[in-house]
């Protein structure tokens, strides 16, 4: 577990949520909007825009000892809890 890592989620609408990991290396974001399109969206309806809108997550540590981490979150449904285990690699490690 890595305490003090900066974690931010950039939502598809451009808003950003920030957090710093606790001593146990954990972080929590609550009430994050679901990605688009939601699974219940009726297929083939021209009223809806089906272009995917995804979130991204980034993790970095101020020590500079670790390589920053970046990934997309392509699916997050309404009311879903998403647990991610993220491992940072130390700089220069082979």
């Amino acid at each position: 577990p890595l305490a003090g890592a900066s974690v931010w989620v950039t939502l598809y609408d451009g808003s950003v949520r920030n957090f710093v990991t606790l001593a146990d290396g954990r972080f929590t974001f609550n009430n994050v909007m679901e990605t688009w399109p939601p699974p219940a969206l009726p297929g083939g309806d021209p009223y809806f825009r089906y272009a995917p809108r995804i979130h991204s997550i980034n993790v970095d540590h101020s020590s500079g000892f670790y390589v920053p981490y970046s990934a997309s979150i392509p699916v997050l449904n309404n009311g879903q809890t998403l647990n991610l285990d993220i491992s940072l690699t130390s700089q220069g490690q082979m």
Side-chain angles (χ1 to χ4, degrees):
L2 184 59
S6 298
V7 181
W8 61 98
V9 171
T10 304
L11 305 177
Y12 69 75
D13 69 353
S15 62
V16 177
R17 304 269 183 99
N18 298 304
F19 195 81
V20 175
T21 58
L22 302 174
D24 63 0
R26 295 183 181 272
F27 60 93
T28 302
F29 293 100
N30 294 313
N31 302 319
V32 174
M33 72 179 92
E34 68 183 337
T35 54
W36 190 264
L41 192 66
D45 188 330
Y47 177 78
F48 297 104
R49 295 172 49 151
Y50 290 91
R53 298 181 204 160
I54 60 176
H55 305 318
S56 63
I57 187 166
N58 298 282
V59 183
D60 197 3
H61 196 269
S62 61
S63 68
F65 185 72
Y66 298 97
V67 176
Y69 172 88
S70 230
S72 62
I73 302 172
V75 178
L76 180 63
N77 297 320
N78 189 30
Q80 177 183 3
T81 298
L82 179 63
N83 294 308
L84 300 172
D85 289 326
I86 298 170
S87 297
L88 296 182
T89 305
S90 62
Q91 297 277 5
Q93 181 176 347
M94 300 256 194

